Amino acid sequence: MMVRGIRGATSVTENTREAILEATAELLDAIVEANDIDRAHVASAFFTTTPDLNAEYPAVAARAAGWTDVPLLCGHEMNVPGGLPRCLRLLIHVNTDLALSEINHVYLREAVRLRPDLSSHGGGGYGAQ
């Protein structure tokens, strides 16, 4: 087994606890489903948000989903002029037998614009609005 990174991103409708947790749960579920992830094989997960999202830690949604034994970390993304506002990103490190080309990165909602090359199912990418 190799340790692979699986990326994902989504947009959050507003800077509220409920909106951040809902968007995080949706993204986490989509990544797990798209890559058939067994939580026992997850090494760690790193969540970032743009600085305009600070009402709650995204990791709270992962803990609520049962990720109680996975190391989780939250931070802020760089504040790049013209960047996508209210954006939540996720990098999961998972032990897997999947080849790099078999990993499905997930971009949802407005974040599909970040990686249009990965916006269709299969071939290393997954996205939905």
Side-chain angles (χ1 to χ4, degrees):
M1 259 190 214
M2 300 283 298
V3 176
R4 300 280 190 209
I6 302 174
R7 279 292 319 273
T10 191
S11 57
V12 180
T13 56
E14 58 186 342
N15 184 32
T16 64
R17 180 180 195 277
E18 296 77 19
I20 291 169
L21 295 180
E22 186 265 327
T24 304
E26 178 186 36
L27 179 60
L28 193 58
D29 289 347
I31 291 174
V32 167
E33 180 181 331
N35 292 283
D36 195 27
I37 294 174
D38 178 345
R39 193 172 64 237
H41 294 158
V42 176
S44 65
F46 183 45
F47 299 86
T48 65
T49 63
T50 48
D52 52 3
L53 293 175
N54 61 7
E56 184 57 275
Y57 296 104
V60 170
R63 295 282 185 237
W67 291 48
T68 57
D69 52 355
V70 175
L72 305 174
L73 182 65
C74 298
H76 278 303
E77 191 73 27
M78 292 175 53
N79 191 16
V80 176
L84 183 64
R86 294 183 314 279
C87 186
L88 185 149
R89 292 172 172 89
L90 174 56
L91 172 61
I92 299 175
H93 300 101
V94 63
N95 296 299
T96 183
D97 289 324
L98 293 176
L100 282 175
S101 62
E102 296 173 303
I103 297 292
N104 291 304
H105 305 285
V106 177
Y107 292 81
L108 304 176
R109 303 180 186 185
E110 294 299 314
V112 171
R113 297 186 333 215
L114 298 174
R115 291 296 306 266
D117 57 317
L118 300 179
S119 65
S120 62
H121 217 317
Y126 176 80
Q129 292 191 17

